[in-house]
Amino acid sequence: MPVKPLVFIPDSQLRLISKPVQGMDKDVRRLVDDMFATMYKAPGIGLAAIQIGEPLRVVTLDVSRRDDTQEPMTLINPEITWHSEELREMEEGCLSIPDYYASVERPDKVRLKYRDIDFKEHEIEADGVFATCIQHEIDHLNGILFIDHLSKLKRDRVMKKFTKLARQRDDEA
Ligand code: NI
């Protein structure tokens, strides 16, 4: 389960629309393993495949927030089939935008359809951190970042900072 390098903004890969998984095979299982290894190492509570450069509709999650137990969850081809009118504001961060946090308003509850690691279909309801995390990760599959939900002023400021950082990294390489 190798830890993969993360893709950071302003990398244009993060704007790709990821493709549905057609069925489980060795490659998709390996991708899921790599995603968990990378997510836990970061550490993060959610990761979309494109964040390690793979444009497939695969998400790994673990919102257990406990050190002694892990509750890994794999979402293949996740889809929101319903969301509440009620909104909830929560502070979000993203492994592709390190050390930056901001409050985002999203539907408080969602109904989610997805396939598990055995490609079996499920439909569940989610709220709280879980609902926020699901919406954040599904956004990634559609090339959307949480900073897109902020004001243009805030977003431009973050993009500028990370563009500068990327340039510094390139210069050092
Ligand atoms: Ni993210």
Side-chain angles (χ1 to χ4, degrees), residues 46 51 93-96 136-137 140 145-146:
Q51 293 181 274
C94 181
L95 294 179
S96 294
H136 175 120
E137 299 310 330
H140 273 301
L145 299 166
F146 86 93

Side-chain angles (χ1 to χ4, degrees), residues 77-107:
N77 302 337
E79 217 180 300
I80 287 166
T81 55
W82 170 87
H83 65 80
S84 64
E85 293 299 318
E86 241 171 285
L87 303 174
R88 168 198 293 265
E89 195 174 290
M90 213 176 261
E91 182 149 279
E92 297 189 23
C94 181
L95 294 179
S96 294
I97 314 172
D99 302 320
Y100 180 77
Y101 303 91
S103 280
V104 178
E105 216 176 36
R106 300 182 187 268

Side-chain angles (χ1 to χ4, degrees), residues 64-80:
S64 63
R65 282 188 165 180
R66 267 171 285 158
D67 296 325
D68 50 342
T69 52
Q70 293 184 337
E71 287 169 31
M73 193 172 182
T74 308
L75 308 177
I76 309 282
N77 302 337
E79 217 180 300
I80 287 166

